Amino acid sequence: MKAFIDLYIKRLDKPYILKHLGFTTVVVEEYEKRVDNVNGLRIVRGTLLSATRLGELKEKLRGIKEKYPIVLVDPLSVEVARFAAHDGRVDGIWLDGENIKIVDKAQINMMKQYSKPLIISLREYLSLPDQYKSMIYRRIKLAIDRGVTIIPVSSATSYKEYIVPSTIVYLLSFLFDTDYKYWIYTLASAPREILVRNGVAP
Amino acid sequence: MIVEEILLVLSIAILIVSVYLLYNNLKMYRKALLLLKLRIGDEVLARTGKLRKRYIVFAVISQTRYSKKEINEAIRTTFKHLFGEAILAKADPYIVYYDPGVMRGVIRVSHIYKNHVLAVLSLTPKITGLDALILPIKTTGTIKKARKILYSHRRELQL
């Protein structure tokens, strides 16, 4: 069985379910400890920062790694997106309906250059209007073609919103016309590389 | 001189025969390619031959106890929503067995569309508003084995 990792959960609810779903490590925003182990499930604290101005992002990033080992950035302007793409403290760039126009070809190329993954919240993606879904589909196809890793996350607030890795890989392979093995990689090995880089891997 | 002429005529004759044979072979090759294309076009079915069944053992993680009918309806609705009516008719996912006591069941589906059903399971609560998580446990080829797996797992998944 693969050791799946969910790179962003907003609020932890019934952690034992995550273990049954096949997760070994989860990154949770609303959690007290930096790194914790609960019944064989490793919980790492992480955060999602959103910023419109460069100064705002720099302010938020100052000393953040001491509290949160995993830092994701939701860029709301081009300058923030470009800065986040090459900053060493940032572990991934968030993609949703709000910043779809910011994540363009130049941004994808820059992310490829600095090995930054693109994070996509499935909960938000599935609730978007069809037009936005098509736009995100195009961005994701572009990123896959350029060799940028896409990491799907649940951003769950309750246990009902958790992703089931054994089914979601097939759904993603149908949605984005890719092999399901690619999605196994993005749910298991790719997030693990980020955890190893930050020294919080199990 | 005469010998040379004879050899020349002979070589021309051989050339004509070989061109004729090559042309015939090409015709055969084209026919074979066309047949292959037709088979590929006529879906995976043509290549896979006999339709076999697969039994997916699944567990429902929820605080609400749903009936077999509700779960079946939810899965079929989501399948139709995601892949359309034509594929639904071919795949025909159906819950052949469901135990509300342990909240586990068995879905029967055509072996070609097994991955389609697995994909649908992840979306079912989202589309139909089902207050639950559906977790596939194992896929088997016989219902006997599926039932055995259904009860062999511990009850730790229940809320």
Side-chain angles (χ1 to χ4, degrees):
Chain A
M1 195 179 184
K2 291 274 175 195
F4 293 108
I5 296 164
D6 193 342
L7 215 56
Y8 185 73
I9 289 177
K10 184 117 178 104
R11 201 172 302 121
L12 200 63
D13 182 24
K14 299 185 176 66
Y16 62 92
I17 291 176
L18 286 163
K19 187 83 186 146
H20 294 306
L21 298 182
F23 289 105
T24 54
T25 308
V26 288
V27 177
V28 185
E29 181 158 22
E30 293 176 15
Y31 202 74
E32 297 83 33
K33 292 179 186 170
R34 196 172 181 270
V35 183
D36 195 13
N37 269 308
V38 178
N39 302 325
L41 179 77
R42 194 172 179 82
I43 302 165
V44 179
R45 205 177 180 197
T47 187
L48 173 67
L49 305 173
S50 65
T52 44
R53 287 179 299 102
L54 191 56
E56 189 188 345
L57 180 69
K58 281 180 179 173
E59 183 64 37
K60 282 180 178 174
L61 282 174
R62 198 167 295 134
I64 196 140
K65 282 287 182 183
E66 289 162 19
K67 285 183 195 167
Y68 300 96
I70 305 297
V71 178
L72 309 174
V73 171
D74 180 10
L76 300 173
S77 70
V78 176
E79 55 174 0
V80 169
R82 300 288 191 270
F83 180 80
H86 76 254
D87 194 278
R89 292 166 290 184
V90 179
D91 297 305
I93 310 287
W94 192 266
L95 176 70
D96 59 12
E98 280 180 46
N99 65 6
I100 187 77
K101 282 175 183 164
I102 294 157
V103 181
D104 54 2
K105 211 179 269 182
Q107 177 70 19
I108 297 281
N109 286 340
M110 204 167 174
M111 285 168 70
K112 165 71 183 164
Q113 199 178 335
Y114 291 97
S115 307
K116 284 278 185 297
L118 197 64
I119 312 289
I120 175 167
S121 164
L122 289 173
R123 187 168 69 99
E124 286 183 26
Y125 173 75
L126 295 170
S127 59
L128 282 171
D130 291 344
Q131 192 191 349
Y132 281 90
K133 275 183 190 160
S134 312
M135 287 165 84
I136 288 189
Y137 169 78
R138 287 197 293 273
R139 297 299 187 285
I140 286 175
K141 285 299 278 182
L142 178 73
I144 291 172
D145 288 347
R146 298 285 161 108
V148 174
T149 311
I150 314 287
I151 299 181
V153 295
S154 66
S155 66
T157 52
S158 77
Y159 78 91
K160 284 168 259 170
E161 290 164 356
Y162 290 154
I163 51 173
V164 184
S166 51
T167 60
I168 213 80
V169 290
Y170 293 107
L171 178 70
L172 290 167
S173 69
F174 283 118
L175 287 178
F176 301 114
D177 308 322
T178 43
D179 190 18
Y180 75 95
K181 284 174 187 167
Y182 173 78
W183 296 107
I184 291 178
Y185 163 75
T186 62
L187 278 165
S189 305
R192 192 184 150 77
E193 281 168 21
I194 294 173
L195 295 179
V196 169
R197 212 180 298 145
N198 288 289
V200 285
Chain B
M1 193 71 184
I2 298 165
V3 176
E4 279 173 10
E5 276 177 11
I6 290 167
L7 280 172
L8 187 72
V9 169
L10 206 65
S11 64
I12 289 167
I14 289 168
L15 191 74
I16 291 165
V17 170
S18 62
V19 165
Y20 175 72
L21 285 172
L22 188 73
Y23 177 68
N24 267 3
N25 272 351
L26 267 175
K27 263 168 74 177
M28 294 283 278
Y29 177 70
R30 265 188 212 148
K31 269 184 191 172
L33 206 70
L34 191 73
L35 275 171
L36 198 71
K37 264 186 193 169
L38 276 175
R39 287 185 79 168
I40 293 166
D42 197 16
E43 274 220 2
V44 195
L45 249 171
R47 273 186 283 138
T48 44
K50 192 186 167 191
L51 274 178
R52 297 182 296 274
K53 286 168 191 161
R54 288 289 177 268
Y55 298 90
I56 302 167
V57 183
F58 69 96
V60 178
I61 305 172
S62 174
Q63 284 169 332
T64 318
R65 292 209 177 263
Y66 290 103
S67 67
K68 177 185 171 181
K69 198 181 170 187
E70 282 171 314
I71 305 269
N72 198 25
E73 202 63 36
I75 289 171
R76 286 182 82 89
T77 309
T78 317
F79 199 103
K80 199 172 163 183
H81 182 90
L82 202 63
F83 299 109
E85 211 160 320
I87 306 286
L88 175 69
K90 287 178 195 170
D92 192 26
Y94 181 74
I95 296 180
V96 284
Y97 185 76
Y98 184 71
D99 187 342
V102 288
M103 288 170 82
R104 284 181 196 172
V106 180
I107 305 171
R108 184 195 63 206
V109 68
S110 163
H111 79 284
I112 299 165
Y113 300 100
K114 187 202 90 180
N115 291 354
H116 290 64
V117 171
L118 287 174
V120 160
L121 291 183
S122 64
L123 264 189
T124 304
K126 179 85 187 164
I127 302 282
T128 55
L130 213 70
D131 194 13
L133 267 180
I134 302 177
L135 173 68
I137 297 170
K138 183 96 180 166
T139 305
T140 69
T142 60
I143 193 161
K144 192 179 168 187
K145 207 170 169 185
R147 282 197 195 196
K148 210 180 270 182
I149 291 162
L150 190 85
Y151 291 109
S152 68
H153 279 69
R154 285 183 292 164
R155 296 188 172 198
E156 57 202 2
L157 280 171
Q158 290 171 46
L159 294 178

